[in-house]
Amino acid sequence: MREEREQFAPPLPAWVSELVGWVAALLLALLAVGHMAATDRSWMLFYDSETVLPALVRGSVMAGQPQDWALSAVLFIPEMGVYWALAALGFGVKGTFILNAVVNFLLLYGSFRLLSGLVRPERPRSRRIVGALVAFAATVFLTFLENSSRWDSFEVVSLLATGTFYGTTVLASVLSTGLAAPLAVPRASLATPRRRAVLEVALLVIIAVATLTNPLILAWEAVPLAFVFALLARRRVTSWKLAGRLGAVLTIGALFGLIARIPFASLITKDGPAYAKPSAAAGAGLYFLKQFSDLASTPAGTVEMGFVVALILFAVIVFRSSTRDGDVRTAVLAGMAWAAPLVVVVGMVALGGVGTRYFQPIFFAPLCLLVLVPELLARRTLGVHWRRARVLVASIAAVCLVGSGLVALTLRDSAEAMNPDIGCVDAWIASSHRTGGGRFWTIRGPKAYLRDPGQLIQVDKSFGAYQWLTNRTDYATKNVSFVLSDTEYPAPALPVGVENDPRQTIRCGRYTITDFVSPVLVIGPASTNPVP
């Protein structure tokens, strides 16, 4: 009989399975970045005020300027390292932003892959890979729903593509959840004490490094994780001793990270505690409600928020069932999927913080739960004929490779196409060999693409120095000769005494250059509140 002659071979080699997963993830990452490059989201990715910081830092160094940066509470250390490594490939500023975005998405897939392996180590490799791809595909799906040019909306999933909107903190959160899940398992059930020690050290290092670069990890991950472990200990799913060990690991990691920030104190213009304004809690709540209603008012936004809310509700159901069944790893993962959003929302409103980018755990924590989809949908492993498996894997790999190549070609063309308005501004400034000023929101894009970024200096609305995410050595220049303004934000007030001076106007699309020819514009003292 033909059925008797057919033999079911062992699973695919590990490297083949993993390669197919990574190639599929590469295609999805390219599709996500290609979508952003082809829509209004491209402005946020390539030219917006905070997004371009890595290019500004590198441009300043390459121009030979002394370095004295004014940063926020975030130091962007891993992000800067990734950007500089990619910039060395020579694809230009915009091309490097595209590469950086693709790499960030691939790092998220890698984090999901590690998470699926740590939560379900006993399951077949193929199921763990599929789980990671499901979570990653859902992330890309949400990215497709985000189309606006704004970074300050609830379209926060696509912020992962940037090097400045806490992508490293997102990755650290996913990895920390994966490392913590096995630590809730009773000692007798975990393979060896050495394995537990390795997981604890890895978690400590991630929390320390993440705290060093962005203390927000404590609110996003450490507090919710401790809360979930305490809740599981109270329900006798894990022990209070294990919960205490986790708390000690998180505390030590956070302390190491905070101590490591001390040498960087001169760079930090405004540290974490300064962001807390409990008296503004009511206003913060109204702000977030307004942002939520703005997103929900669009069809894509309605789908996005509905998907995330459904995931959170699903997480509550999975958490209840897994605690009842004693499935500790799943309980940690599901608990974080609803606890992290809850802690972040309540904490941010109570502290009066304003900024939708702080709400990223609302989206990414529930997405982590999707690595369990293969486990939840298939309770038994189905045999696959070796020949059919080879055909299937080869087909998937071929489609992914061809698709990746086509999208990569499209992105290459995008990398070579400069925004014409910014190109016009930079061409005029470069040929003028002079220095001008403009407001933070206006000059950042053009400044990032200038060969000498020192030719544009940030000023506030009163034409004073605006030392926020910029190199303070720019202000060694006290006088400038032109002002850059745009249609989106009010122009700064001109210094006193130049009202009747001759000037000429140069139009560059959304930008206007008001040129006084000689450096008659005096930059005033630094603002006392250097926060946009």
Side-chain angles (χ1 to χ4, degrees):
M1 297 292 291
R2 183 173 183 271
E3 292 78 7
E4 293 176 351
R5 291 195 304 268
E6 289 184 343
Q7 298 295 322
F8 290 94
L12 292 171
W15 71 269
V16 175
S17 301
E18 295 292 354
L19 179 62
V20 171
W22 279 100
V23 171
L26 175 61
L27 174 59
L28 290 171
L30 289 170
L31 289 173
V33 179
H35 163 78
M36 295 179 67
T39 63
D40 289 345
R41 206 71 177 144
S42 61
W43 184 267
M44 187 279 300
L45 181 60
F46 301 127
Y47 308 111
D48 213 333
S49 53
E50 296 192 21
T51 306
V52 298
L53 178 63
L56 288 175
V57 174
R58 187 173 187 275
S60 176
V61 173
M62 299 303 289
Q65 288 185 303
Q67 302 300 297
D68 182 19
W69 285 84
L71 301 179
S72 63
V74 187
L75 295 174
F76 308 107
I77 295 173
E79 294 91 339
M80 290 294 178
V82 171
Y83 181 86
W84 275 73
L86 296 174
L89 298 177
F91 289 99
V93 174
K94 192 177 179 185
T96 302
F97 280 141
I98 290 175
L99 282 175
N100 205 158
V102 173
V103 168
N104 285 354
F105 274 104
L106 287 177
L107 288 174
L108 180 65
Y109 167 73
S111 300
F112 283 145
R113 177 65 188 89
L114 182 61
L115 175 69
S116 67
L118 289 168
V119 175
R120 280 291 179 266
E122 74 282 1
R123 297 305 180 192
R125 181 182 299 273
S126 59
R127 191 176 295 183
R128 287 176 271 152
I129 293 172
V130 170
L133 283 174
V134 169
F136 187 63
T139 305
V140 173
F141 166 70
L142 295 181
T143 302
F144 286 160
L145 298 175
E146 300 181 355
N147 302 291
S148 77
S149 61
R150 296 173 52 196
W151 60 266
D152 58 339
S153 71
F154 265 119
E155 295 180 325
V156 300
V157 176
S158 55
L159 295 181
L160 176 71
T162 73
T164 51
F165 286 112
Y166 316 155
T168 297
T169 310
V170 169
L171 299 175
S173 297
V174 175
L175 291 173
S176 297
T177 299
L179 291 168
L183 295 178
V185 176
R187 286 177 177 272
S189 302
L190 202 59
T192 61
R194 181 180 179 182
R195 175 175 170 78
R196 183 180 295 276
V198 169
L199 292 173
E200 289 176 340
V201 170
L203 178 59
L204 187 151
V205 170
I206 287 177
I207 293 296
V209 174
T211 303
L212 163 63
T213 192
N214 185 3
L216 196 60
I217 187 67
L218 303 179
W220 281 14
E221 184 69 15
V223 173
L225 199 53
F227 171 73
V228 169
F229 266 65
L231 191 57
L232 292 176
R234 185 175 180 274
R235 296 189 176 190
R236 301 180 185 277
V237 179
T238 191
S239 67
W240 282 108
K241 183 176 181 179
L242 291 178
R245 284 178 66 97
L246 176 91
V249 169
L250 296 175
T251 301
I252 295 171
L255 288 174
F256 280 168
L258 292 173
I259 291 171
R261 288 172 64 83
I262 294 175
F264 300 94
S266 62
L267 302 177
I268 302 172
T269 305
K270 185 178 181 181
D271 212 342
Y275 287 89
K277 299 177 182 178
S279 60
L286 293 174
Y287 167 82
F288 290 123
L289 284 175
K290 173 65 166 55
Q291 295 291 342
F292 177 85
S293 65
D294 287 347
L295 181 63
S297 65
T298 66
T302 300
V303 172
E304 183 171 11
M305 293 306 300
F307 182 80
V308 172
V309 170
L311 273 183
I312 293 174
L313 295 176
F314 179 60
V316 174
I317 296 172
V318 174
F319 180 74
R320 288 173 60 88
S321 64
S322 58
T323 53
R324 183 181 62 247
D325 298 338
D327 187 351
V328 188
R329 299 176 195 245
T330 300
V332 172
L333 186 57
M336 285 297 293
W338 63 263
L342 177 64
V343 169
V344 169
V345 170
V346 173
M348 287 304 304
V349 173
L351 293 175
V354 174
T356 53
R357 60 192 182 278
Y358 301 131
F359 276 36
Q360 291 182 62
I362 295 177
F363 297 79
F364 285 102
L367 285 169
C368 291
L369 187 62
L370 293 179
V371 302
L372 296 178
V373 164
E375 173 71 15
L376 298 173
L377 294 182
R379 292 299 180 181
R380 63 190 181 91
T381 303
L382 301 177
V384 180
H385 191 274
W386 175 243
R387 290 182 179 177
R388 295 173 184 171
R390 284 193 300 178
V391 172
L392 178 62
V393 170
S395 300
I396 293 174
V399 170
C400 290
L401 284 172
V402 172
S404 300
L406 293 175
V407 179
L409 289 174
T410 301
L411 287 174
R412 184 196 65 181
D413 294 339
S414 175
E416 296 172 352
M418 173 64 68
N419 177 274
D421 298 349
I422 288 182
C424 171
V425 168
D426 284 359
W428 186 91
I429 293 175
S431 64
S432 74
H433 303 290
R434 291 187 277 114
T435 303
R439 296 192 67 179
F440 175 87
W441 305 107
T442 299
I443 71 166
R444 303 283 288 188
K447 185 178 175 73
Y449 291 84
L450 275 174
R451 184 177 297 274
D452 180 7
Q455 286 187 270
L456 274 175
I457 300 177
Q458 285 179 194
V459 297
D460 59 20
K461 62 182 180 181
S462 302
F463 221 84
Y466 197 74
Q467 299 180 4
W468 180 253
L469 303 184
T470 194
N471 190 350
R472 284 175 285 216
T473 59
D474 283 352
Y475 300 105
T477 300
K478 303 297 184 184
N479 293 54
V480 297
S481 60
F482 64 87
V483 180
L484 181 65
S485 58
D486 73 338
T487 57
E488 296 294 319
Y489 302 98
L494 294 176
V496 176
V498 300
E499 295 85 356
N500 299 320
D501 284 20
R503 68 198 73 175
Q504 58 180 336
T505 301
I506 298 93
R507 306 286 182 185
C508 287
R510 64 180 282 166
Y511 295 100
T512 299
I513 301 170
T514 305
D515 182 27
F516 289 79
V517 182
S518 59
V520 297
L521 305 172
V522 181
I523 298 176
S527 171
T528 57
N529 183 26
V531 181

